[in-house]
Amino acid sequence: LLLLRMIQFIGATLKRGAMTAGSGGEEDGVMATQSLNMALSILSLHLTQADVSVADWEKMQEHVSDLQVLSCHSDIRISRLVCWT
C-alpha cells in the first residue's frame, strides 16, 4: 500500500508540474519546486533499485511525456533531475 501511494504521489506531482510548466504558468513556487524535487528524487531512487516491480516501471512509463515537459523547466535543479532520471 505504501509503494502504491508513493507511485501515485510521484505521478500526480509530475503531471501537475508538467501542466504548469507546459501552460507557461507560474512554475517557481517554493512548494511546487520542493514537491517536484522530492518526487523526482524518489523516482530516481526507486526505479534504479534492483528489485523494482514491473508494475511500478510500467506505471511510471505513463509519465514519460510529463518528464519530457519538465526537462525544459526553468528551475535548473528540476531540469537536471529530470534529465538524470
Side-chain angles (χ1 to χ4, degrees):
L1 185 60
L2 180 61
L3 282 177
L4 176 60
R5 287 189 179 159
M6 178 185 66
I7 296 296
Q8 289 172 336
F9 163 75
I10 293 169
T13 303
L14 294 177
K15 183 155 297 297
R16 184 174 49 251
M19 286 175 42
T20 303
S23 69
E26 182 68 32
E27 59 182 54
D28 61 350
V30 173
M31 293 298 286
T33 300
Q34 288 176 343
S35 186
L36 271 172
N37 274 321
M38 179 175 287
L40 290 166
S41 296
I42 293 169
L43 176 65
S44 64
L45 289 172
H46 181 60
L47 292 183
T48 57
Q49 292 180 11
D51 62 347
V52 66
S53 73
V54 172
D56 288 355
W57 184 256
E58 290 173 346
K59 187 68 176 165
M60 288 296 93
Q61 290 294 313
E62 296 173 13
H63 298 284
V64 168
S65 61
D66 298 328
L67 290 168
Q68 289 171 332
V69 171
L70 290 170
S71 69
C72 298
H73 198 280
S74 63
D75 187 316
I76 192 78
R77 296 168 297 177
I78 299 291
S79 58
R80 281 187 181 164
L81 271 172
V82 170
C83 291
W84 186 80
T85 303

